Amino acid sequence: MLTMEDIIRDGHPTLRNVAAEVSMPPSEEDKQILASLLEYVINSQNVEMAEQYSLRAGIGLAAPQINVAKRMIAVHLTDEKGILYSYALFNPKIISHSVEKAYLQSGEGCLSVDEAFPGYVLRHARITVKGINLDGEEVKLRLKGLASICFQHEIDHLNGVMFYDYIDKKDPYKLIEDAIAIER
């Protein structure tokens, strides 16, 4: 079981590297790593488990965050409409996105970043993602709202990009016209 001790922190070089594609079909080791990423985010949202194992709550985790430079992400969240998104994906790719932007009103955080970075992170309001699940099936997801933002955040980890890279240093709360504010 993964714990916060397994998650590398901001400044570690793996977080700034582009992760390698996972060979298909995935090895048993890669399947286990991907399953453990999903297990962490699920456990971290369980109050008793989080308390018992000192887990910081998260809605997504990428393999580079546990110092595995491979293209794997896990997301477990319930969106603003009560829809559960629980996915563990190999080689996820954003295959299309909206021009329209969106942001979390409360800002973004990251399990690999201990300090707060106040400001808005402008992202695409809607995206379509393709990836391969643990059963080896191709998954295609059309996402908006919190799910869209979370998937973009995790896929950024696979490309060595951190959420705070998007925050305007001079004006952290600068918005673009018509950007959609998403409450968390």
Side-chain angles (χ1 to χ4, degrees), residues 88-124:
L89 297 176
F90 293 109
N91 302 325
K93 278 189 183 73
I94 296 172
I95 58 168
S96 68
H97 61 79
S98 64
V99 172
E100 187 176 33
K101 298 289 187 180
Y103 64 95
L104 286 181
Q105 279 187 311
S106 58
E108 290 185 26
C110 180
L111 293 169
S112 291
V113 179
D114 293 328
E115 68 272 22
F117 278 89
Y120 295 138
V121 179
L122 289 167
R123 297 193 179 274
H124 301 293

Side-chain angles (χ1 to χ4, degrees), residues 44-106:
S44 77
Q45 294 175 38
N46 175 307
V47 176
E48 292 82 30
M49 292 282 290
E51 195 171 298
Q52 183 179 352
Y53 296 103
S54 302
L55 307 178
R56 258 176 57 202
I59 58 173
L61 190 61
Q65 293 179 269
I66 60 165
N67 203 21
V68 175
K70 292 186 177 182
R71 300 185 81 77
M72 298 185 250
I73 66 167
V75 170
H76 185 80
L77 66 90
T78 302
D79 75 2
E80 44 286 346
K81 292 183 179 159
I83 298 167
L84 175 66
Y85 293 85
S86 190
Y87 292 95
L89 297 176
F90 293 109
N91 302 325
K93 278 189 183 73
I94 296 172
I95 58 168
S96 68
H97 61 79
S98 64
V99 172
E100 187 176 33
K101 298 289 187 180
Y103 64 95
L104 286 181
Q105 279 187 311
S106 58

Side-chain angles (χ1 to χ4, degrees), residues 156-173:
D156 273 349
H157 276 302
L158 306 181
N159 297 316
V161 177
M162 301 296 282
F163 76 93
Y164 56 75
D165 295 342
Y166 295 104
I167 298 173
D168 186 313
K169 308 293 179 265
K170 292 186 179 80
D171 184 2
Y173 293 99

